[in-house]
Amino acid sequence: MMTTGKSDTKIKVNGLSKVFQGRNGDVIALNNVDLEIKQNEFVCIVGPSGCGKSTLLNIIAGLEKKTSGSVLADDKEIEGPGEGRGVVFQQYALFPWKTVLKNVEFGLKLKGVDAVTRRKHAMEYLELVGLKEFAHSYPKELSGGMKQRVAIARAFAAEPEVLLMDEPFGALDAQTRAQLQEELLNIWDNKKKTCFFITHDVEEAVLLGQRVVIMSARPGRIKEVIDVDISYPRTQETKLDPRFVEIKNEIWSKVYQEYLAVKK
Amino acid sequence: MQGEVNTESVIQVQKEKQKPFWKRVDHRVMVFLSLVVGILIWALLSTIPSVNAILTNPVTIAKTFVTELSNQNLVTDIVASIYRVLGGFFLGLLVAIPFAFLMGWYDIFRSLFEPWIQFFRTIPPIALIPLVIVALGVGESAKIAVIFVATFLVMVVSIYQGVRNVDPTLIKAARVLGATDKDIFLEVVVPASFPYILVGVRLGLASAWTTLVAAELTGASKGLGNMIMEAGLYFRMDLVILGIILIGLIGFVMDKGVLWLEKKLAGWQEVSK
Ligand SMILES: Nc1ncnc2c1ncn2[C@@H]1O[C@H](COP(=O)(O)OP(=O)(O)OP(=O)(O)O)[C@@H](O)[C@H]1O
Ligand SMILES: [Mg+2]
C-alpha cells in the first residue's frame, strides 16, 4: 500500500467503457478510456458536446454505473458516491429550503459533525467565497454567480479530497466567471485538493488546469492530454502570456477538428 | 450604490404622481368599498317585495345572527360542522402522506395503488353517501368517513405529484455529500414535497368543506348543512342565507389560514411564472 508510485495517483481510470441502452439502440458514451489523475492535481477536460465528459465525471463520482473497465480512487474500486469525492453541478443544485449556511453545512451534518463546529467551518468557507453576509439568505435571494459560489463552498466544506466539477461556470457572465476562476484557483492552492474540471471553454481549461484532456467525439475516448507548463498563481493576466496563447490555440484547433468530426 | 437607490426612489415618487387616483388607492380600501357596495345593492334589491321573499335584507340577517348566537343552536351547528370537517380531513391527511410517499418512492406501491386512486378520484364523493349511510348509519362516523375519502383522494394525488417531482440533481447533490437513503428521504424528499403537501391540504380542506355540506343536507341532527335544510322546510329564508354566508366565511378563513401557513413555512420557494 505504501509504494511511492501508487500513493501519488488519486484517480485511476482503466479501459473504462459506458454504454447507454436507449430506445433507438445503444449509445456508446465512453469507449476504452484511460486516465490518471495525481494527488493535488488540477485536470481540465474539454471536448465536443455529447462526447461523454459528464458521463466520465458521473462515473468517477459514483453516480453512474460503468459498463466495463475499472475506476479506482485511492486504489479502491469506486462503488458509489463517497465522502472523498465532492461534486459541483452545473445547475448549482442548492437545496432551496435551506439557507446558504445550512446548505454549506449539510455535508458536515451528514457526517455527524456537531452543530457548533460545522457552523464555524461553514462560515469559514463562506468567507472564502465572499458570501459571509448572505449566510442566512435563501438561494432564491441570490444571483446565479452567488449560487454557484455557495455550491462551491458546499462541496469544499465537506472536505473531500477530490473535487469533480461539471461546467460549474457555464451559465455565468464573463466577469463573474473570471472572478470565480481566480477564487477557485485560490481555494485549490490553499486547501490542496485534486480537481477534475469539465468545461466547454478552452481558455478556461488552460487557465485552470495543469493538464488538459481533450476528448474526441463519439464514441467518447481520450484523444490527447496536454501539459500546461505555466506556473501558478495564474490570474486573468496570464491569458496574455504568449505561452498561454500558444497552448490555447493548439488545444483549440484540436477541439475544433473534433467538432468538425461531429458535424460530419 | 447610494446614488442608485436614490434615483430609484425618485423615479418611484414620479410614477406615484402620474398614476390616476384609482390606482393609488390601497387594495384593502378597494376591497372594503366593494363589500360595502355589494351589501348596499343587496339591501336595495331586498326592498323589492318579490325578491324579499327569498333574499332577506342584510339587517334582518344580522339580527337573526345575533338571536341564533344567543340561543346556542348556531354555535352547536358550527362546532358540529367544523368537528366533522377537521376529523375527516386530518384522518385523510394522516393516511394520504404515507401513501403518497410510498407510491412516490417505491415502484411496487405505485403500480399497486395508482390505478385504484385514479379510478376513485373520478367519482364525486357525494355519490358514496348512500353507501356509507347503509354501512355506517347517519351518525358522526358516516359523515367523517365520506369526508375522509374525499380529502384522502385529493391529497394523495397532490402529494404524490410532489414526491415524483423532486429534482433528481438535488438527490444526487445529497448523495455525493454522503447522504444515505434515509437522509435523502428526510432531508430532500420530504422538504421538497412540502409545498405540494400544502397545496394538497388546501385542496383537501376545500373538498372537505363542500362534501360536508352535501353530507349534512342529506340528513343530520346538527351542523350547518342541516340547519339550512331545516330552515328551508320552515321557509326561514333569513336562516338559510345566514347559513350560506357562514359556510362561505368559514371556508374562506380556512383557505386563508393555509395560505398564511404556506407563506410562513414554504417561503423559500422560487416564485416562478
Ligand atoms: N441517461 C442517459 N441515457 C441514454 N443516453 C445518455 C444518457 N446520458 C448520456 N447519454 C448519451 O451519452 C453521450 C454522452 O453524454 P454526456 O452527457 O456525457 O456528454 P457531455 O460530453 O457531457 O456533453 P455536454 O458537453 O453537452 O454536456 C451522449 O451521446 C448522450 O446522448
Ligand atoms: Mg455534460
Side-chain angles (χ1 to χ4, degrees), chain B:
Chain B
M1 273 301 243
Q2 206 79 45
E4 256 175 48
V5 173
N6 277 339
T7 43
E8 222 164 314
S9 62
V10 169
I11 292 167
Q12 287 261 302
V13 170
Q14 280 174 346
K15 271 188 191 157
E16 211 76 73
K17 273 181 189 159
Q18 286 158 359
K19 271 186 188 172
F21 101 96
W22 61 85
K23 281 193 178 162
R24 270 180 285 151
V25 181
D26 189 57
H27 168 70
R28 268 167 286 183
V29 177
M30 281 309 214
V31 170
F32 180 74
L33 264 176
S34 161
L35 283 175
V36 170
V37 171
I39 292 170
L40 272 178
I41 292 175
W42 169 17
L44 273 175
L45 277 175
S46 63
T47 56
I48 306 166
S50 62
V51 174
N52 186 260
I54 298 164
L55 193 63
T56 327
N57 75 61
V59 182
T60 317
I61 303 281
K63 278 184 191 153
T64 312
F65 180 59
V66 173
T67 48
E68 287 298 313
L69 263 188
S70 58
N71 74 19
Q72 282 296 312
N73 280 343
L74 188 61
V75 177
T76 321
D77 285 329
I78 291 175
V79 169
S81 287
I82 289 180
Y83 168 75
R84 289 165 187 157
V85 160
L86 293 185
F89 164 79
F90 278 114
L91 271 180
L93 186 64
L94 219 67
V95 182
I97 288 178
F99 242 78
F101 278 104
L102 282 174
M103 278 170 54
W105 199 240
Y106 297 106
D107 289 344
I108 310 172
F109 282 92
R110 176 158 67 256
S111 317
L112 284 177
F113 295 125
E114 198 176 9
W116 292 101
I117 287 174
Q118 294 299 352
F119 172 70
F120 278 108
R121 208 161 70 98
T122 57
I123 304 170
I126 302 162
L128 301 175
I129 290 174
L131 213 65
V132 173
I133 288 177
V134 173
L136 296 170
V138 288
E140 289 305 295
S141 50
K143 312 255 164 344
I144 289 179
V146 173
I147 293 167
F148 163 74
V149 173
T151 53
F152 168 75
L153 289 172
V154 170
M155 290 191 284
V156 83
V157 171
S158 152
I159 299 168
Y160 163 71
Q161 223 107 57
V163 180
R164 298 293 298 168
N165 279 346
V166 177
D167 182 355
T169 44
L170 291 183
I171 294 180
K172 283 188 194 167
R175 277 245 151 81
V176 295
L177 288 169
T180 59
D181 275 358
K182 186 181 140 231
D183 295 326
I184 286 181
F185 185 76
L186 294 177
E187 297 271 4
V188 181
V189 177
V190 171
S193 0
F194 191 70
Y196 289 84
I197 296 181
L198 285 178
V199 170
V201 163
R202 223 179 137 199
L203 295 173
L205 265 183
S207 135
W209 197 235
T210 42
T211 312
L212 165 94
V213 175
E216 285 180 347
L217 281 169
T218 61
S221 53
K222 48 190 195 268
L224 283 171
N226 174 64
M227 177 186 107
I228 292 176
M229 195 197 61
E230 280 185 356
L233 290 179
Y234 296 110
F235 225 74
R236 284 278 311 274
M237 284 308 145
D238 55 335
L239 255 186
V240 172
I241 290 167
L242 176 64
I244 291 172
I245 291 173
L246 284 176
I247 287 167
L249 274 180
I250 295 171
F252 179 80
V253 167
M254 287 202 286
D255 196 52
K256 285 285 169 212
V258 181
L259 276 182
W260 176 82
L261 214 65
E262 185 175 359
K263 225 183 195 167
K264 281 271 138 173
L265 300 176
W268 48 263
Q269 285 180 87
E270 301 257 8
V271 205
S272 52
K273 281 161 264 171

Side-chain angles (χ1 to χ4, degrees), chain A residues 20-21 27 29 47-56 167 200 218:
Chain A
F20 285 109
Q21 264 125 21
V27 177
S49 183
C51 69
K53 304 181 294 292
S54 298
T55 307
L56 177 59
E167 297 190 47
H200 264 121
R218 268 178 272 169

